[in-house]
Amino acid sequence: MHKIIIAIDGHSSCGKSTLARSLAQRLGYTYIDSGAMYRAVTLYLLRHGISAAERERIDAVLPKLQLSFNDKNEMLLNGENVEHEIRQMKVSNYVSEVAAVPEVRRAMVEQQQEMGRQRGIVMDGRDIGTVVFPDAELKIFLTASSQTRAQRRHEELRQKGYPSTIAEVEKNLAHRDHIDSTREDSPLKQAADAIIIDNTRLSREAQLARALELAHQAGATGSS
Ligand code: DC
């Protein structure tokens, strides 16, 4: 079976993880949520009262952080299941500041590249096609209108039982999009060879069908 690397990048809340997860499942690949890793680092810093501006302190604690995923793709921080906590607003509101710290990015990219050695992975994030796997066989850049993204995220948070208002969600998305796209170190941008999928008017099924078609064209032979 020929295994490829699939990179999915895009703004916050445009459905990257939904697509990446289902694509990985259909191909029999491993799904890796790179954003969860930045969220876990953020949670650790918040718990220890370390700000994103304290780069030396961050550099000193990074080697103490063991990040891994269990078989349900839930994030483990030093063995503790933090999946629930990293999705809360207190983390969402600070994660972009932490993800802009070069020391944090360097450590995360190293670990992500290591995870990709086995190939047969779908990884979603902001810099996967540009920095982490510039040679990925398939790069997808996912977009959706900002209104659609805010509505989807609001609904997702509600279903998961995290209280929020649509205004709060819109503000958080705009804040994160701005920092993620303008930071100096590996800002969110579309790789030159990425294929755009705008899912504003696409059903999940239609989006998955398109991505599977692209994966097969890129050489993936999987269980789909
Ligand atoms: O995908 P997400 O919303 O869970 O990501 C959380 C934050 O982490 C997001 O605001 C930007 C950052 N991030 C990043 O800088 N690079 C990645 N590869 C993934 C996420």
Side-chain angles (χ1 to χ4, degrees):
M1 193 164 95
H2 184 58
K3 291 187 167 186
I4 66 169
I5 291 183
I6 302 177
I8 303 184
D9 290 301
H11 289 106
S12 299
S13 297
C14 59
K16 295 186 299 293
S17 61
T18 304
L19 174 62
R21 195 185 292 272
S22 48
L23 188 57
Q25 201 183 13
R26 287 289 292 273
L27 293 170
Y29 280 18
T30 304
Y31 162 56
I32 300 167
D33 174 357
S34 72
M37 299 169 71
Y38 289 95
R39 287 172 179 271
V41 174
T42 304
L43 178 65
Y44 184 93
L45 299 185
L46 285 171
R47 281 179 177 176
H48 291 82
I50 302 172
S51 90
E54 296 177 281
R55 289 176 56 180
E56 273 181 30
R57 279 183 83 191
I58 293 176
D59 206 25
V61 299
L62 278 171
K64 293 185 198 160
L65 302 191
Q66 244 196 36
L67 303 180
S68 55
F69 294 92
N70 68 12
D71 53 10
K72 287 190 222 150
N73 282 121
E74 292 169 335
M75 187 77 234
L76 307 182
L77 168 60
N78 293 336
E80 177 194 349
N81 189 329
V82 292
E83 182 59 34
H84 183 71
E85 222 175 332
I86 60 168
R87 307 291 163 193
Q88 302 199 341
M89 271 294 178
K90 68 169 187 202
V91 173
S92 298
N93 284 334
Y94 202 48
V95 62
S96 286
E97 280 81 352
V98 173
V101 176
E103 288 80 2
V104 172
R105 300 209 70 79
R106 203 177 317 130
M108 295 304 106
V109 169
E110 219 170 85
Q111 290 192 31
Q112 289 153 5
Q113 288 173 335
E114 188 56 41
M115 292 169 173
R117 244 177 251 289
Q118 49 165 336
R119 309 189 63 74
I121 62 159
V122 183
M123 190 179 288
D124 74 331
R126 305 294 187 290
D127 61 342
I128 311 305
T130 50
V131 175
V132 182
F133 299 120
D135 297 327
E137 288 87 346
L138 174 60
K139 300 177 186 177
I140 293 175
F141 194 85
L142 208 56
T143 69
S145 75
S146 50
Q147 215 181 7
T148 303
R149 292 195 283 131
Q151 273 162 2
R152 285 184 189 152
R153 174 68 84 157
H154 181 60
E155 180 55 24
E156 184 192 331
L157 289 169
R158 194 190 63 75
Q159 275 180 12
K160 287 184 178 166
Y162 307 132
S164 67
T165 64
I166 190 105
E168 229 180 343
V169 172
E170 269 174 357
K171 203 170 138 201
N172 176 253
L173 288 184
H175 172 74
R176 285 203 283 150
D177 285 351
H178 177 72
I179 299 183
D180 296 344
S181 315
T182 57
R183 68 178 175 227
E184 232 164 81
D185 190 338
S186 41
L188 166 67
K189 65 171 191 272
Q190 191 196 323
D193 51 350
I195 296 166
I196 297 182
I197 299 181
D198 182 336
N199 66 19
T200 308
R201 285 182 187 80
L202 276 187
S203 67
R204 283 184 184 193
E205 295 71 30
Q207 169 178 256
L208 177 59
R210 173 78 182 125
L212 274 170
E213 181 188 25
L214 292 172
H216 291 135
Q217 281 166 9
T221 52
S223 48
S224 69

